[in-house]
Amino acid sequence: MSAAPALRRRSDPAGLHPARPDPADLVPAGLDPAWPVPAIAPERRRGRGAVSNPTGRYEPLARVAFDDGWQSLEELPPFTTTVATDTARKVITRNESPDISFDRSINPYRGCEHGCVYCFARPTHAYLGLSPGLDFESKLFMKPDAPELLARELAAKGYAPKTIAIGTNTDPYQPIERKTGLMRRILEVLEAAGHPVGIVTKSDLILRDVDILARMAERRLVRVALSVTTLDRGLGRTMEPRAPTPPRRLAALRGLAEAGVPTTVMVAPVIPAINDAEIERILDAAAAAGVESAGYVLLRLPLEVRDLFQDWLRTHYPDRERRVFTLMRQMRGGKDYDATFGRRMTGSGPYAWMLGRRFETACARLGLNLSRTPLTTEHFVPPRDPTARQLELF
């Protein structure tokens, strides 16, 4: 008998693709549709964050692996990391979101091997025909010519410099960066052009580039934010399986601060009943490491992230599932997620207000956010376009 996943067409009478199809569309005939989509066997997803690999929301067919009694699922291989080439023709992405501090960003990679189960970027993998689940953390894409594309865009006529954010979608210092060195080459382009940059990561691999970052910091061209979600090694390993441990992130903050690089700690995301009790302890540890500022972001559950996170809770913390979602809905106007600008990062309601006051009180006690080193564009010099073929006369 075949063990191929069951294929069923989604119910879609309006011609739209739902974020999660009705369970009756996801199970073979004869199985109870009330049961959730089966989790991937632990041995196949070892070292991964998501526990399932649901079909992307744009696919016309949903695939569900189920045991037909012949133990053929045991023959399936574990999820291994693959890296493909992203043939993008531009590397700077623009945005007009009114509640974030930058209007342009660079993401050298699509997908992220850190495997953070809560990652709000997971739904972007559906645009590639892949799953926001385990595919997001195992099927990665890189832009090998990103530094050359960046130099060309910075050299374009009419380009007006403004701080570029890196790491806003996926982590630029995820494990494959050790082999590709893409981020270092991007920093070399930015340093040569005197262009300001803000970096967000949760990896101590950033210390590899501390020489460049220190030189840029002397000219007020860089600031770095590291996300510290928890100080609990066990929780971190379960929630962010391939990200560096909390002590290594704090060491990275200390190393950057000692090198003169302006640093920020991000308590992100804050998850009620999971890590919200650690806000003050994380800020204490980060202040001791020398950071000058701090920020926080409430857990966001857009599109498929909601179901992936709920599956993760049911697997690892089933006793907290109801409590987590009850509190999230209290902070999201009764919904699992509210994408309204100005509220999506911090939420609303009494519990969200309490989290915000706790954060502000701790920052005031520790002297964080009293000042913030501004970045400058005064050093910007457009690079020569590496693709230009016109001969120079002089």
Side-chain angles (χ1 to χ4, degrees):
M1 296 179 65
S2 172
L7 301 181
R8 294 202 57 175
R9 188 166 299 280
R10 296 180 185 270
S11 296
D12 195 14
L16 303 174
H17 296 298
R20 186 169 192 173
D22 188 278
D25 277 354
L26 290 176
V27 295
L31 292 186
D32 184 356
W35 285 96
V37 177
I40 302 297
E43 57 271 16
R44 292 192 61 214
R45 54 178 170 83
R46 190 179 306 279
R48 304 292 180 179
V51 300
S52 58
N53 203 41
T55 303
R57 63 188 178 280
Y58 295 116
E59 303 308 300
L61 297 176
R63 294 170 170 81
V64 181
F66 69 99
D67 191 348
D68 60 3
W70 290 79
Q71 291 80 43
S72 48
L73 287 181
E74 298 177 1
E75 302 171 3
L76 296 176
F79 283 80
T80 57
T81 301
T82 62
V83 183
T85 298
D86 185 339
T87 57
R89 290 179 289 180
K90 290 186 176 182
V91 72
I92 298 178
T93 301
R94 306 281 180 154
N95 80 83
E96 298 179 352
S97 300
D99 60 346
I100 55 179
S101 60
F102 57 89
D103 68 353
R104 64 199 70 183
S105 59
I106 295 174
N107 289 288
Y109 304 103
R110 293 194 188 191
C112 185
E113 198 176 8
H114 281 161
C116 306
V117 69
Y118 52 73
C119 182
F120 66 87
R122 284 181 177 273
T124 61
H125 244 43
Y127 299 135
L128 306 175
L130 297 171
S131 172
L134 290 165
D135 282 351
F136 176 80
E137 49 195 284
S138 61
K139 292 181 170 57
L140 311 180
F141 296 82
M142 63 172 288
K143 302 172 183 176
D145 54 352
E148 292 75 22
L149 292 173
L150 174 60
R152 185 176 68 187
E153 292 180 59
L154 298 184
K157 287 185 178 180
Y159 176 80
K162 199 172 180 180
T163 300
I164 290 177
I166 304 181
T168 58
N169 203 46
T170 58
D171 201 314
Y173 285 102
Q174 61 178 287
I176 60 174
E177 168 65 20
R178 294 183 183 279
K179 294 182 178 180
T180 67
L182 265 182
M183 189 59 190
R184 185 172 181 87
R185 291 166 53 207
I186 288 173
L187 288 176
E188 289 171 346
V189 172
L190 293 172
E191 181 189 18
H195 197 293
V197 60
I199 303 170
V200 179
T201 182
K202 50 171 58 83
S203 175
D204 61 337
L205 178 58
I206 193 171
L207 292 178
R208 179 200 64 187
D209 300 332
V210 72
D211 56 331
I212 299 178
L213 297 173
R215 292 195 301 267
M216 294 182 74
E218 290 176 354
R219 297 194 290 163
R220 292 190 293 128
L221 292 176
V222 66
R223 65 177 305 107
V224 175
L226 255 85
S227 171
V228 181
T229 316
T230 179
L231 299 181
D232 184 327
R233 287 174 178 261
L235 175 59
R237 186 167 52 251
T238 303
M239 188 166 54
E240 309 161 330
R242 301 200 180 192
T245 62
R248 288 172 58 185
R249 295 187 217 181
L250 292 171
L253 284 170
R254 182 176 294 105
L256 291 167
E258 291 175 351
V261 180
T263 54
T264 298
V265 62
M266 292 299 300
V267 186
V270 174
I271 308 173
I274 296 293
N275 72 339
D276 58 336
E278 296 189 67
I279 292 175
E280 290 83 0
R281 291 200 300 128
I282 292 173
L283 292 175
D284 285 343
V291 302
E292 68 172 24
S293 59
Y296 79 99
V297 178
L298 184 65
L299 173 67
R300 298 167 59 187
L301 297 175
L303 301 172
E304 292 96 340
V305 181
R306 184 263 188 196
D307 301 310
L308 290 166
F309 183 72
Q310 188 170 43
D311 290 342
W312 177 83
L313 279 176
R314 288 172 176 168
T315 299
H316 297 287
Y317 298 97
D319 57 324
R320 304 191 203 181
E321 178 192 353
R322 179 174 296 182
R323 178 64 173 162
V324 170
F325 273 88
T326 296
L327 292 173
M328 286 301 303
R329 288 162 187 155
Q330 289 179 9
M331 293 186 285
R332 298 295 190 187
K335 301 181 290 186
D336 292 328
Y337 180 54
D338 179 6
T340 304
F341 290 135
R343 291 205 301 263
R344 58 180 179 162
M345 305 295 186
T346 57
S348 60
Y351 201 86
W353 181 90
M354 180 192 67
L355 292 177
R357 300 300 75 73
R358 285 176 52 198
F359 177 84
E360 291 174 355
T361 300
C363 286
R365 172 174 56 84
L366 296 167
L368 300 175
N369 295 334
L370 296 179
S371 62
R372 186 181 180 90
T373 303
L375 301 186
T376 182
T377 60
E378 64 183 9
H379 304 295
F380 179 68
V381 177
R384 291 181 56 186
D385 185 346
T387 64
R389 297 182 179 276
Q390 183 176 352
L391 294 177
E392 293 185 357
L393 298 179
F394 304 99

